[in-house]
Amino acid sequence: MENTPLKINRMPYFNRYQAMGRQDLEESQRLRRDSDSSDNPERDCISLDIQRHPEQTNMPSPVGENEDVIPGLGQYDDFQTIDWQRDLARDRMRHRYIVKHKKDSVWDFIKAAHDAWSGWMCLFLVGLAAGTVASIVDIGTTWMTDLKYGICPEAFWLDREQCCWSSNQTAFGFDNCSQWLTWPKLVGASDESAGGYIIAYISYVLWALSFAGLAAVLVRMFAPYASGGAIPELKTILSGFVIRGFLGKWTLLIKSIGIMLSVAAGLSLGKEGPMVHITICIGNILSYLFPKYGRNEAKKREILSAAAASGVSVAFGAPIGGVLFSLEEVSYYFPMKTLWRSFFCALIAAFVVRSIDPYGNEHSVLFYVEYSKPWIFFELLPFILLGAIGGLIGTLFIRANIWWSRYRKQSRIGQYPVTEVIVLTLINAVISYPNPYTRMSSTRLIYLLFSQCGVANNDYLCDYNRNYTNVNGAIESAAAGTGVYTALALLFLALVFKIVMTIFTIGIKVPAGLYIPSLCMGAIVGRIVGIAMEQWAYHYPQFWAFRGECSTGDDCITPGLYAMVGAAAVLGGVTRMTVALVVIMFELTGGVRYIVPLMAAAMASKWVGDAFGKDGIYDAHIALNGYPFLDNKEEFDCTTIAADVMQPRGNAPLTVLTQDSMTLSEVESILENSKHNAFPVVISRESHFLVGCVLRRDLMLAIGSVRRKQDDISDDSLVIFNGFVQGNPSASSPVKLRRILDLAPITVTDHTPMETVIDMFRKLGLRHVLVTHNGRLLGIMTKKDVMLHMSHHQRTIPSVFH
């Protein structure tokens, strides 16, 4: 019974073509021999021998090597999937042509050298630009964020810390720096008075509304693609999808300005995710300076993958983590040369950031920490517990955010994006200001949670019953004071607030990343668990787990380490990253000795998260938006065959072109009355033996070029794909289109298992495949058909098989 559907689906195709006569087959073979006879000068058109000029091949000529190249040939329209194999074949052919002629002249040698080094030069420029833009964005974000609290009267363009550099005070609190004036002080009120508090409150809310409203208006008016974190769209683009304008100049400009405004508004979002979008925009723009990449979509994605690595490098100060992030999370095609170039690009970007030093800590990382105590073996249990909690929080966040995003699309809320941003910002600012841990920026809160308690730290989190008699001595273990318990209550409220606000924030029409909110949520959970472990060790030092390390009286538990591990756990639960996450975290903090706790938390987070759903937040948004993305990591088991999925099905007619018997008017009628992006070319209407395949865009461009350049072309002109005219030609000159014909399209038989077909689409980056039976064309299968079939199959199979 299990194989019954297969038999039912196969029989119509089997019966339809099993009785095909041998005479038809021999006739088609004779026509093929005639078309490939020695009288035909183009019979070797599918050869890729370097001794042949590219014009004689079935692929478009290399750009710049042939003056007769049709403008736009080989390119793609908006919202189309690229053909990886076709573009890579075009690049190999172009490279062979350059190598062949590099010794002809000095100019050809220079062109060959430029072609060899163009990739490295492009990525060098991308790294320089990415580091510079990231530093400007970080400096601007810090200045705008401090503007909500006060201003530097002597130099308004300085943030709070820079303003206080000229002061003699070493602590840069609002009350300790005379050069920096809060808004209450600027109007003559005291910060501690009720009137001063109200003024500061109102100023905070008004500045937040101004920043968020301006960001939403800029995105709405100039660059709609600049909203969000854009990682789902970037994954889809790098997998071979074309979205015109998503990586353009306006998107780069508005994204850079908008992310500073939206972060400064105090919304629960971060700038680190959008930095990947910004750097990929830079890579896309600069790739057009090098035609090798700018005019070849498949080669361009090598530059974009390397640019993604530089985005993480400049966002977190983690160049190695950036390379792994590009490999594990966003890139679809990642050959070894792209790995080295990504490393080079991330290195240049990190060097620029280190030279500018926007973080001001001389360590080129966002949260530099120094922990004096190593972790003990027993702590692996709470680290794994933090990983499990992170997986649960990540799953809760993904499901809630997807539900709200779907509701936003279907309701009237999505029709008023600017109003949504303003209302959300108002709620966020009003609720967050009374709590000091939600009032401060997320990056400052994370750094505070990661930090150790010392003499200079006077936050509630460090209100322990300690006597600091020796500043350079070890920190003694002590009981928590009332300030610690107050801080724990405020942190718990901050955790709930961050989770709820982030659910509603991710997806609004301003630039918004989720890395920093995820790290912030995890750091709060980790710090709470860390303080609990610390007090356990203090009150029960003779417990077997603490007997050795905690019996000396020194503080053997580091709460900041738990905050770091918790941050990694929640970020892993949200994104489902593993290797790249661990490397980013220890580069982000400088805590190399804590790789094992980070690894344990990351694995526990992924296992718990995968138990409730395989998709991370990016894959979930890809599915929500319906992007044509085939995940390489996803497994697909089915019992269907190619004949079950191909189009058309049953006895429906298949739209095809013939190699030498259709007039120009007939071809144009097919183009006008059909929406297909590719047309198979067969021998004749009677004999559907496959000759090749031609793309819709290339066919339209070629016909338009012929009509412009040849005056003797009429509607009755024959369209020839085989290079010569059989029989008596018409009075009008034929339209020869063999140059745009792909004579080696990817084909499968009608009985090919769909598992094999799906692997071909994934690993070869195919746009479509042709389905044949004994050499005779049956149908065509596109990437969209495959994705619809996979989606239908996953909805119908029992969940136990997942």
Side-chain angles (χ1 to χ4, degrees), residues 109-408:
F109 180 81
I110 294 175
K111 288 196 297 183
H114 175 266
D115 181 76
W117 284 93
S118 59
W120 295 98
M121 180 58 65
C122 181
L123 292 176
F124 176 77
L125 297 177
V126 172
L128 288 178
T132 304
V133 172
S135 300
I136 294 173
V137 168
D138 190 80
I139 294 171
T141 301
T142 304
W143 175 72
M144 291 182 184
T145 301
D146 289 341
L147 201 60
K148 294 186 300 182
Y149 306 102
I151 195 171
C152 188
E154 296 183 356
F156 70 91
W157 57 88
L158 298 179
D159 60 39
R160 178 174 59 89
E161 187 172 353
Q162 293 171 338
C163 181
C164 295
W165 282 345
S166 60
S167 177
N168 294 327
Q169 290 89 359
T170 57
F172 298 136
F174 286 120
D175 299 328
N176 299 320
C177 178
S178 59
Q179 302 296 326
W180 175 267
L181 294 182
T182 62
W183 295 113
K185 288 183 178 179
L186 197 64
V187 297
S190 174
D191 291 333
E192 292 77 14
S193 64
Y197 183 85
I198 294 175
I199 293 174
Y201 201 154
I202 295 175
S203 301
Y204 181 92
V205 173
L206 291 180
W207 278 110
L209 290 174
S210 301
F211 291 148
L214 180 59
V217 170
L218 289 176
V219 169
R220 176 77 170 176
M221 294 180 60
F222 298 103
Y225 286 146
S227 63
I231 299 296
E233 290 80 4
L234 295 177
K235 289 185 66 173
T236 308
I237 290 174
L238 291 180
S239 72
F241 195 59
V242 178
I243 305 179
R244 299 294 180 193
F246 196 86
L247 304 177
K249 297 183 288 296
W250 276 106
T251 303
L252 171 62
L253 178 62
I254 301 303
K255 189 92 172 187
S256 302
I257 298 174
I259 192 59
M260 292 188 285
L261 293 168
S262 57
V263 172
L267 292 169
S268 186
L269 48 81
K271 66 180 183 299
E272 284 66 26
M275 280 306 306
V276 178
H277 189 191
I278 291 174
T279 54
I280 291 183
C281 286
I282 294 173
N284 177 69
I285 294 170
L286 293 179
S287 68
Y288 286 99
L289 300 177
F290 305 88
K292 173 182 178 180
Y293 298 98
R295 298 181 183 179
N296 190 306
E297 293 291 340
K299 294 294 292 182
K300 182 192 295 183
R301 274 147 182 78
E302 297 179 12
I303 300 295
L304 302 185
S305 294
S310 68
V312 177
S313 176
V314 297
F316 294 110
I320 301 176
V323 176
L324 294 177
F325 171 81
S326 179
L327 172 62
E328 179 181 354
E329 190 62 28
V330 297
S331 294
Y332 196 85
Y333 175 70
F334 205 85
M336 184 58 66
K337 61 181 178 181
T338 304
L339 177 68
W340 284 107
R341 290 175 178 177
S342 300
F343 184 80
F344 173 73
C345 186
L347 171 66
I348 298 299
F351 174 78
V352 173
V353 173
R354 175 64 180 85
S355 301
I356 300 176
D357 190 23
Y359 307 126
N361 56 14
E362 298 182 357
H363 293 289
S364 297
V365 296
L366 197 57
F367 310 113
Y368 183 76
V369 295
E370 289 181 314
Y371 300 141
S372 58
K373 289 291 183 180
W375 58 280
I376 60 180
F377 184 77
F378 175 75
E379 290 181 286
L380 276 179
L381 293 179
F383 292 152
I384 294 175
L385 175 63
L386 282 175
I389 295 174
L392 292 175
I393 293 177
T395 302
L396 171 65
F397 173 80
I398 291 172
R399 293 189 176 183
N401 180 253
I402 293 299
W403 173 83
W404 176 250
S405 299
R406 185 179 292 109
Y407 178 78
R408 179 191 289 123

Side-chain angles (χ1 to χ4, degrees), residues 587-599:
E587 284 190 285
L588 180 65
T589 59
V592 183
R593 67 164 65 178
Y594 305 109
I595 293 180
V596 173
L598 292 172
M599 291 176 64

Side-chain angles (χ1 to χ4, degrees), residues 360-627:
N361 56 14
E362 298 182 357
H363 293 289
S364 297
V365 296
L366 197 57
F367 310 113
Y368 183 76
V369 295
E370 289 181 314
Y371 300 141
S372 58
K373 289 291 183 180
W375 58 280
I376 60 180
F377 184 77
F378 175 75
E379 290 181 286
L380 276 179
L381 293 179
F383 292 152
I384 294 175
L385 175 63
L386 282 175
I389 295 174
L392 292 175
I393 293 177
T395 302
L396 171 65
F397 173 80
I398 291 172
R399 293 189 176 183
N401 180 253
I402 293 299
W403 173 83
W404 176 250
S405 299
R406 185 179 292 109
Y407 178 78
R408 179 191 289 123
K409 286 176 174 289
Q410 298 172 352
S411 66
R412 300 185 53 142
I413 296 177
Q415 302 176 9
Y416 304 97
V418 177
T419 304
E420 181 189 9
V421 171
I422 293 176
V423 172
L424 189 65
T425 305
L426 178 63
I427 297 173
N428 180 84
V430 170
I431 298 177
S432 65
Y433 188 84
N435 189 336
Y437 296 121
T438 54
R439 183 192 315 166
M440 67 176 66
S441 66
S442 297
T443 52
R444 288 179 179 174
L445 175 59
I446 295 172
Y447 184 75
L448 175 64
L449 296 172
F450 283 4
S451 301
Q452 279 187 294
C453 290
V455 178
N457 196 328
N458 57 0
D459 189 83
Y460 283 156
L461 283 172
C462 297
D463 183 21
Y464 291 89
N465 299 323
R466 294 190 181 111
N467 293 321
Y468 291 103
T469 56
N470 185 3
V471 176
N472 297 322
I475 300 176
E476 63 180 9
S477 179
T482 56
V484 174
Y485 295 106
T486 302
L488 290 177
L490 293 175
L491 283 176
F492 180 77
L493 294 176
L495 174 63
V496 176
F497 174 78
K498 288 286 185 181
I499 293 175
V500 174
M501 292 307 300
T502 307
I503 289 172
F504 291 97
T505 301
I506 301 302
I508 62 175
K509 297 305 180 182
V510 295
L514 56 81
Y515 282 113
I516 290 298
S518 301
L519 291 175
C520 188
M521 291 184 286
I524 294 174
V525 175
R527 188 76 182 204
I528 294 174
V529 174
I531 292 176
M533 287 293 297
E534 180 189 45
Q535 292 303 298
W536 185 15
Y538 170 73
H539 290 288
Y540 301 96
Q542 298 305 316
F543 183 66
W544 63 270
F546 308 125
R547 191 173 300 161
E549 290 81 357
C550 301
S551 59
T552 60
D554 295 340
D555 191 1
C556 61
I557 303 296
T558 306
L561 173 59
Y562 285 79
M564 183 199 304
V565 174
V570 173
L571 182 56
V574 172
T575 63
R576 306 297 162 84
M577 290 192 300
T578 52
V579 179
L581 171 64
V582 173
V583 176
I584 288 174
M585 285 305 300
F586 81 73
E587 284 190 285
L588 180 65
T589 59
V592 183
R593 67 164 65 178
Y594 305 109
I595 293 180
V596 173
L598 292 172
M599 291 176 64
M603 288 305 302
S605 175
K606 180 170 177 57
W607 284 339
V608 172
D610 287 348
F612 295 96
K614 295 291 185 182
D615 291 341
I617 185 66
Y618 301 138
D619 296 325
H621 274 278
I622 287 174
L624 175 66
N625 295 322
Y627 295 136

